[in-house]
Amino acid sequence: MTTIISNSKLTAAIKHAGAELFSLKNNDNKEFIWEGNPDFWGKHSPVLFPIVGTLKNNTYTINNISYHLPRHGFARDMEFNLVSKTDESAVFSIQSNAESLKVYPFEFELQIIYTLIDSQLDIQYKVINKNDSKMPFSIGAHPAIALPENFENYALEFEKQESLKYSLLENDLISNKTKQLETKENQIALNYQLFENDALIFKSLESNSLTILENNKPYVKVDFADFPSLGIWTKENAPFICIEPWFGYSDTDENSGNLFGKEGIITLDANQTFNSKFSIEIL
């Protein structure tokens, strides 16, 4: 099933499977979300919960009991319920169940709220801890922005001038190696060589947003002010770029496995609610 929302400038389409955004078009019917061709990558904009990235040995512990979770968790594979809808917004929800409790022993509700405002799509995450004890989790976005022209015609312009130091992945885990991206006027010209070691992972940034430039002109802006970390990723020769706001990231090789002690994890108090939001603006 799918749900469509629209306003005077944009139309967004969301699958109930994973509450995944798979289309965002303007009035000229121009598509800004990657089509999901499996020859490159068969997703569009999956939601990452209750972990972001990869666990060491795909395993973690709670109270000395081991559990297994695949990369990026399970929310993207669950069927969401449509809770409410207006012309310009839609609220989706999943709740813990017998299957989720086998791999993540916490009672929760995850809501994803899509709202169109002018030329912008807001995507809000609401995580509700339904336990009488603390709940550890990560959450992140993975939207793939379609790039219809040659990849080298695009650049990323960061909001602020800053040192763009990123962490390198080894065997899907965060290594202790870092690299520095050289910028010119806060911009990075895109090329596939940037991603030869997988995603660029920024544990922290000064910028709250970045703008994708197409032939030096603003194309799409992603605002991630609520999120401390960011991933940027594509596949070799693929016509998309993923701008990924994150709370959390992959384990390091030295990780103890205790989910409460995982670097970048959120610990939500009993019966409390976590909120965060990012936006995709068509320029």
Side-chain angles (χ1 to χ4, degrees), residues 28-45:
D28 295 327
N29 207 38
K30 182 174 181 178
E31 180 63 76
F32 290 87
I33 298 297
W34 162 243
E35 66 183 29
N37 180 347
D39 290 344
F40 292 104
W41 185 58
K43 298 282 188 179
H44 314 271
S45 182

Side-chain angles (χ1 to χ4, degrees), residues 42 45 48 63 66 116 195 213 228 249 264 270:
S45 182
L48 318 181
N63 297 326
S66 293
L116 289 170
F195 305 96
L213 306 177
Y249 30 77

Side-chain angles (χ1 to χ4, degrees), residues 2 40 67 81 99 139 167 182 221 231 243:
T2 63
F40 292 104
Y67 298 88
N81 294 315
E99 290 304 308
I139 192 163
S167 298
E182 298 299 324
K221 179 181 179 182
I243 309 297

Side-chain angles (χ1 to χ4, degrees), residues 187-235:
Q187 295 181 18
I188 300 167
L190 286 183
N191 63 79
Y192 290 114
Q193 288 70 41
L194 286 171
F195 305 96
E196 60 187 3
N197 291 317
D198 208 335
L200 310 181
I201 297 171
F202 301 92
K203 291 185 177 181
S204 62
L205 288 170
E206 294 295 324
S207 295
N208 290 319
S209 65
L210 65 77
T211 299
I212 302 170
L213 306 177
E214 182 182 77
N215 298 316
N216 298 314
K217 295 179 181 179
Y219 176 62
V220 171
K221 179 181 179 182
V222 180
D223 187 293
F224 44 84
D226 285 356
F227 291 77
S229 302
L230 189 75
I232 302 176
W233 175 78
T234 191
K235 297 272 283 186

Side-chain angles (χ1 to χ4, degrees), residues 19-74:
E20 184 178 10
L21 174 72
F22 71 94
S23 178
L24 183 62
K25 294 181 179 179
N26 64 11
N27 285 343
D28 295 327
N29 207 38
K30 182 174 181 178
E31 180 63 76
F32 290 87
I33 298 297
W34 162 243
E35 66 183 29
N37 180 347
D39 290 344
F40 292 104
W41 185 58
K43 298 282 188 179
H44 314 271
S45 182
V47 177
L48 318 181
F49 175 88
I51 59 168
V52 172
T54 303
L55 298 170
K56 183 181 177 182
N57 299 320
N58 293 315
T59 303
Y60 70 94
T61 61
I62 295 289
N63 297 326
N64 296 316
I65 300 173
S66 293
Y67 298 88
H68 298 274
L69 277 176
R71 188 177 191 178
H72 295 324
F74 53 70

Side-chain angles (χ1 to χ4, degrees), residues 14-219:
I14 303 107
K15 297 179 182 179
H16 292 205
E20 184 178 10
L21 174 72
F22 71 94
S23 178
L24 183 62
K25 294 181 179 179
N26 64 11
N27 285 343
D28 295 327
N29 207 38
K30 182 174 181 178
E31 180 63 76
F32 290 87
I33 298 297
W34 162 243
E35 66 183 29
N37 180 347
D39 290 344
F40 292 104
W41 185 58
K43 298 282 188 179
H44 314 271
S45 182
V47 177
L48 318 181
F49 175 88
I51 59 168
V52 172
T54 303
L55 298 170
K56 183 181 177 182
N57 299 320
N58 293 315
T59 303
Y60 70 94
T61 61
I62 295 289
N63 297 326
N64 296 316
I65 300 173
S66 293
Y67 298 88
H68 298 274
L69 277 176
R71 188 177 191 178
H72 295 324
F74 53 70
R76 60 183 179 168
D77 298 317
M78 291 182 70
E79 189 76 13
F80 280 69
N81 294 315
L82 179 63
V83 176
S84 63
K85 180 186 179 300
T86 67
D87 289 344
E88 299 179 0
S89 68
V91 180
F92 297 87
S93 171
I94 54 170
Q95 301 200 38
S96 49
N97 57 35
E99 290 304 308
S100 74
L101 289 168
K102 292 176 183 177
V103 295
Y104 181 65
F106 298 95
E107 300 277 1
F108 70 89
E109 181 180 0
L110 169 61
Q111 292 186 4
I112 303 175
I113 301 109
Y114 291 92
T115 307
L116 289 170
I117 303 172
D118 200 37
S119 296
Q120 179 174 302
L121 176 64
D122 286 352
I123 303 170
Q124 179 185 355
Y125 298 141
K126 181 180 289 188
V127 180
I128 303 167
N129 181 0
K130 302 174 76 174
N131 306 274
D132 293 327
S133 57
K134 295 179 183 292
M135 183 177 81
F137 70 93
S138 287
I139 192 163
H142 204 311
I145 307 301
L147 304 180
E149 299 199 9
N150 290 333
F151 195 73
E152 289 75 15
N153 290 3
Y154 295 90
L156 304 180
E157 182 176 65
F158 286 79
E159 177 199 20
K160 298 178 181 178
Q161 186 173 358
E162 60 184 306
S163 173
L164 288 174
K165 184 174 74 171
Y166 65 95
S167 298
L168 296 176
L169 288 168
E170 289 184 356
N171 300 316
D172 293 332
L173 301 180
I174 297 277
S175 74
N176 56 10
K177 299 175 184 176
T178 61
K179 280 190 175 181
Q180 190 90 11
L181 282 180
E182 298 299 324
T183 62
K184 182 179 181 182
E185 298 177 340
N186 298 356
Q187 295 181 18
I188 300 167
L190 286 183
N191 63 79
Y192 290 114
Q193 288 70 41
L194 286 171
F195 305 96
E196 60 187 3
N197 291 317
D198 208 335
L200 310 181
I201 297 171
F202 301 92
K203 291 185 177 181
S204 62
L205 288 170
E206 294 295 324
S207 295
N208 290 319
S209 65
L210 65 77
T211 299
I212 302 170
L213 306 177
E214 182 182 77
N215 298 316
N216 298 314
K217 295 179 181 179
Y219 176 62

